[in-house]
Amino acid sequence: MNEENLRMLGQSARALFTPEQLDLFEASFEKQAAYCRSKIYNEEGIPMFLVLEDISNSKVEPKADSAGLPRDALFDLLLVTAIEVYKQQLEAKSETIEAKDIGLMLEVLAEHFFVTAQLPKLGEPV
Amino acid sequence: MAAAKPKTTTILPESWEHVVRSLQTGFLKGNYVRVINYHNTPKGKTALYERQLAFYQRYFSAANEQDIDRFFDTGVWHKDKPGLILNFFEGYRNNFEIGAPLAEAYGFVGWFFLPIGFMSIAISEQESYAEQNDIGLVDDGYADGRIAMTWDEVRELDKNHVIACHTQNHQRLTRDSSDEELEREICLSKLELERELGHKVATFCWLYGAEVGVNPRADQYLHKAGYKYLLSNFKIQKLK
């Protein structure tokens, strides 16, 4: 998927939420971001997501028929959407976004979505 | 006038927008894992760590390098609960004494990222070494003053956990890091770690977690050294 398609996907995925829910989501980002900034990195375990990226020359297409944990495509899409909302939050506050801001986004993402069992149902305020 | 202290942040390999899009691409494909990043694990926080790990145990399964290999190869997580990596950075003695036993008690695998020089230095010099090389300290109250793991402790961890290289001297990558630095921090550190462990080491991580693309010369050294994985702030990149 190219960058433009991904941008459109991120934006259109916002349609999963009502404006009121997005407001709550954005307010929640601020709250969680403040919480994450208050953590003592030297002593606390910090939950994060890490993306797996194969940049090897021997890159092979994953075997789709492999047995394992079924993918939750809707949850994955929710993560993409959440990043889009966070990104727009950061852009609204600062012209320059640095690596630490991206790290903060992933920390907030983890605070919200680390455990899928805690996920709100779509259509419910987050 | 004293030299300005280097800015302590990660350098991105490309525009931040592009980095964010690459992360979204990974999430959309389901190519991600969860991690907990630890530095010091002081004894005084044991109850807190234990409570958190008991919680994580309910929802997640351990992930070692072979599990990550398989995830890359198949695109499918093969256990019944999503994988969780416990990262322990800097090779603290308290990681061996507190972090590792707790990880084992709750069925997880720790990935221990060691700045090799810290393990090898005399006990009397460890504190000043830590201060000079951006290794944060806590007051553990160790009477003998030792704050780094010993190599015997590293070898003990190696039986059940992942041991990874975190440079020679806890260095950050810059765009103009010299070849001498890159050789020492990427290649020689790996050789020393492998000599101590008696087997190959697959994973590397910079201080502040730079990813591939920040410095093409560094990328060449990563390949020359033969690393399979680069763990960065946002990604696990498979190099070979």
Side-chain angles (χ1 to χ4, degrees), chain B residues 173-191:
Chain B
L173 178 66
T174 68
R175 296 202 195 283
D176 52 5
S177 295
S178 71
D179 286 306
E180 184 184 359
E181 284 176 276
L182 297 174
E183 176 78 23
R184 181 186 64 236
E185 302 299 327
I186 296 173
C187 301
L188 298 182
S189 57
K190 181 174 187 279
L191 289 176

Side-chain angles (χ1 to χ4, degrees), chain B residues 3-206:
Chain B
K5 194 175 178 184
K7 196 176 176 189
T8 53
T9 189
T10 307
I11 303 172
L12 297 173
E14 48 206 344
S15 75
W16 70 267
E17 291 99 332
H18 196 93
V19 172
V20 170
R21 294 302 178 210
S22 74
L23 295 175
Q24 287 180 304
T25 301
F27 283 117
L28 193 64
K29 294 177 178 174
N31 295 337
Y32 58 89
V33 292
R34 293 161 175 84
V35 301
I36 308 291
N37 289 330
Y38 294 94
H39 285 79
N40 274 288
T41 47
K43 190 176 182 180
K45 300 265 183 181
T46 301
L48 171 66
Y49 302 138
E50 194 153 16
R51 206 161 54 240
Q52 290 172 336
L53 289 171
F55 175 80
Y56 296 136
Q57 186 188 40
R58 288 161 53 194
Y59 297 101
F60 304 114
S61 57
N64 60 23
E65 282 175 323
Q66 289 71 40
D67 296 320
I68 296 301
D69 288 344
R70 188 164 167 175
F71 196 11
F72 267 111
D73 288 345
T74 64
V76 175
W77 183 251
H78 61 286
K79 299 182 180 179
D80 60 355
K81 292 187 279 191
L84 178 68
I85 293 174
L86 304 185
N87 288 326
F88 294 90
F89 294 95
E90 330 299 31
Y92 294 110
R93 175 180 178 174
N94 57 31
N95 291 163
F96 177 79
E97 295 185 353
I98 306 297
L102 286 175
E104 289 174 14
Y106 288 93
F108 290 110
V109 172
W111 291 40
F112 293 84
F113 290 84
L114 310 181
I116 309 309
F118 192 34
M119 312 295 105
S120 300
I121 205 160
I123 293 172
S124 60
E125 296 173 29
Q126 287 180 355
E127 188 170 336
S128 60
Y129 179 93
E131 286 168 357
Q132 288 167 17
N133 291 286
D134 215 352
I135 295 174
L137 298 178
V138 294
D139 185 7
D140 279 306
Y142 292 126
D144 63 1
R146 179 169 66 85
I147 48 180
M149 286 180 205
T150 65
W151 281 114
D152 281 341
E153 289 172 341
V154 173
R155 281 185 284 273
E156 184 64 27
L157 288 181
D158 189 42
K159 294 174 183 172
N160 298 309
H161 300 277
V162 175
I163 305 296
C165 186
H166 192 29
T167 75
Q168 182 71 30
N169 293 312
H170 205 226
Q171 294 288 293
R172 73 190 284 261
L173 178 66
T174 68
R175 296 202 195 283
D176 52 5
S177 295
S178 71
D179 286 306
E180 184 184 359
E181 284 176 276
L182 297 174
E183 176 78 23
R184 181 186 64 236
E185 302 299 327
I186 296 173
C187 301
L188 298 182
S189 57
K190 181 174 187 279
L191 289 176
E192 186 174 344
L193 182 53
E194 290 175 346
R195 195 165 51 242
E196 292 290 349
L197 296 177
H199 64 75
K200 295 288 183 189
V201 169
T203 303
F204 182 84
C205 176
W206 288 104

Side-chain angles (χ1 to χ4, degrees), chain A residues 38-94:
Chain A
S38 75
K39 290 180 179 177
I40 303 170
Y41 282 57
N42 196 27
E43 298 182 16
E44 292 184 45
I46 310 294
M48 283 281 282
F49 286 99
L50 292 184
V51 165
L52 303 188
E53 185 177 76
D54 189 347
I55 53 174
S56 69
N57 292 328
S58 59
K59 186 174 178 179
V60 291
E61 281 303 310
K63 302 159 193 157
D65 59 346
S66 296
L69 191 66
R71 265 202 55 202
D72 186 343
L74 190 59
F75 178 71
D76 297 340
L77 182 61
L78 190 60
L79 296 180
V80 173
T81 310
I83 289 178
E84 193 66 25
V85 174
Y86 300 163
K87 173 177 167 290
Q88 288 168 6
Q89 287 274 288
L90 289 173
E91 283 177 309
K93 287 183 169 50
S94 172

